[in-house]
Amino acid sequence: QVQLVESGGGLVQPGGSLRLSCAASGTIFSINAMGWYRQAPGKERELVAHITSLGSTNYADSVKGRFTISRDNAKNTVYLQMNSLKPEDTAVYYCKAEIRPSWPLNTFDSWGQGTQVTVSS
């Protein structure tokens, strides 16, 4: 059994910053890619940022230059540093991890429950 728990969401004013964390626990041999997704009311879920096990990253165009994804492999944790936040960043943010529970089993995607980020004056 694998669990992903997000933290760090909340209410922030436009231009402010938040840092989200997502820690994976349970039966884990290794974690490959990790990512952050978000879903705003009335919108489809979208990829925000993605990071491989070796640290290669990519971002949605809407957050480039403002958000930074990082990971601590020793802690099985992925972070999302969000700066210069805009009202349109308001959404529930979900983390995802591609997990290999043991060798040589295949990997699978595990999802967190989400954390609310609200950007408002």
Side-chain angles (χ1 to χ4, degrees):
Q1 186 81 355
V2 174
Q3 300 84 37
L4 271 63
V5 179
E6 300 103 333
S7 62
L11 175 64
V12 65
Q13 294 185 8
S17 297
L18 287 173
R19 190 177 80 152
L20 306 183
S21 300
C22 175
S25 61
T27 304
I28 300 172
F29 178 81
S30 63
I31 302 177
N32 295 336
M34 304 183 82
W36 288 95
Y37 295 74
R38 67 186 181 188
Q39 187 166 20
K43 303 290 186 179
E44 296 293 326
R45 184 186 65 184
E46 64 174 348
L47 175 67
V48 176
H50 172 273
I51 185 167
T52 70
S53 61
L54 295 180
S56 296
T57 61
N58 57 45
Y59 299 89
D61 288 341
S62 60
V63 307
K64 284 181 180 177
R66 300 188 298 120
F67 291 10
T68 302
I69 188 170
S70 61
R71 63 191 288 168
D72 185 336
N73 291 333
K75 297 181 178 179
N76 290 334
T77 299
V78 62
Y79 306 94
L80 186 67
Q81 178 67 47
M82 304 185 294
N83 298 326
S84 302
L85 282 161
K86 305 174 180 179
E88 50 263 47
D89 295 318
T90 296
V92 177
Y93 284 70
Y94 301 90
C95 65
K96 186 185 79 172
E98 182 186 1
I99 293 173
R100 189 186 305 276
S102 65
W103 185 264
L105 295 181
N106 292 332
T107 61
F108 65 92
D109 289 339
S110 182
W111 290 85
Q113 293 299 305
T115 185
Q116 177 70 49
V117 172
T118 302
V119 184
S120 176
S121 299

